[in-house]
Amino acid sequence: MRQAALILALMCLVGCSAVSKRDPVGDADLPRYRHPGGATVTLITVLSTRDGSGVHSALIVNGDQRVIFDPAGSLSHVSLAERGDVIYGANPAIVDSYIDYHTRNTHDTVAQTRDVTDAVATDLLARVMQHGPVMQSFCAQSVSALLRSTAGFEGIRATLFPKTLMESFSAQPGLRTVRFSQPEDSDQRTDFYAWTGQKPKFNIE
């Protein structure tokens, strides 16, 4: 029974089941963007609007630069600088487009943000950037493991389930939560930059 439940869990995590198609990017080519304000950690959770189950987990970390850790994610675009499941140069257009990509009538996207110290963000950024690609269906496991090794987040549960991770993260103090919905979406992905109409400042044809 336990093995069957684990197999079922892996089959359900369809949001982070895409095979990575990303080419490595050299250090000199990686863009850097730091969002104004203090250091933050944001947990992204994609939820099914049909049954409320979680289908994907990701992290946005803002320290001396802002990146998106998108473990085994399916998002791909020529303008993105990606290496080891990390999207670099995560300016507002990139972050908004990432949210838009995952949000449609079948899926909501929840962003839970907590302020952290510069030291915490620096430590987490280093480990995120050194993590490497994540196996299919292990998005929540990789995110929860990174958080559990981060000062102030030790109480996060180790889990394979994005929704369980989101609920565990909800106990964090001073949390700011936003839920994005597109109920009129026709279940087709919108244009990549449709969320804000902006474009990143690099590598646009």
Side-chain angles (χ1 to χ4, degrees):
M1 287 295 292
R2 191 171 183 179
Q3 185 177 9
L6 177 59
I7 294 173
L8 178 61
L10 298 181
M11 293 176 62
C12 289
L13 300 182
V14 296
C16 51
S17 61
V19 176
S20 176
K21 301 178 181 179
R22 300 163 184 166
D23 294 325
V25 179
D27 287 340
D29 299 321
L30 292 174
R32 292 175 63 93
Y33 171 81
R34 176 172 184 168
H35 196 63
T40 56
V41 173
T42 300
L43 175 65
I44 298 293
T45 308
V46 182
L47 299 172
S48 169
T49 58
R50 294 191 177 100
D51 60 10
S53 62
V55 298
H56 190 50
S57 296
L59 274 182
I60 302 175
V61 185
N62 185 52
D64 61 357
Q65 63 176 307
R66 186 165 73 175
V67 305
I68 303 173
F69 177 55
D70 187 32
S74 59
L75 176 59
S76 180
H77 193 271
V78 294
S79 69
L80 293 179
E82 306 174 62
R83 185 170 66 185
D85 285 347
V86 177
I87 300 172
Y88 289 82
N91 61 38
I94 292 290
V95 171
D96 288 343
S97 298
Y98 183 84
I99 293 171
D100 184 54
Y101 172 83
H102 291 92
T103 309
R104 59 200 75 147
N105 68 329
T106 56
H107 294 90
D108 287 352
T109 303
V110 177
Q112 299 169 292
T113 300
R114 176 185 166 182
D115 296 329
V116 296
T117 65
D118 289 341
V120 167
T122 298
D123 169 66
L124 182 55
L125 274 171
R127 288 185 289 111
V128 162
M129 292 186 289
Q130 294 169 3
H131 191 281
V134 174
M135 293 175 57
Q136 297 178 20
S137 303
F138 281 82
C139 56
Q141 186 277 333
S142 61
V143 171
S144 62
L146 282 165
L147 288 172
R148 284 166 54 82
S149 300
T150 302
F153 295 89
E154 297 91 344
I156 296 294
R157 291 181 58 184
T159 181
L160 285 166
F161 298 92
K163 188 173 183 180
T164 300
L165 176 56
M166 182 188 75
E167 292 170 346
S168 180
F169 197 85
S170 296
Q172 292 295 308
L175 210 61
R176 302 186 297 279
T177 302
V178 181
R179 184 164 182 148
F180 299 88
S181 301
Q182 292 182 355
E184 302 305 318
D185 191 355
S186 61
D187 198 24
Q188 294 187 5
R189 291 170 180 164
T190 58
D191 292 339
F192 189 73
Y193 297 108
W195 191 267
T196 62
Q198 302 177 49
K199 294 184 178 181
K201 300 177 181 178
F202 61 92
N203 196 26
I204 296 296
E205 298 293 334

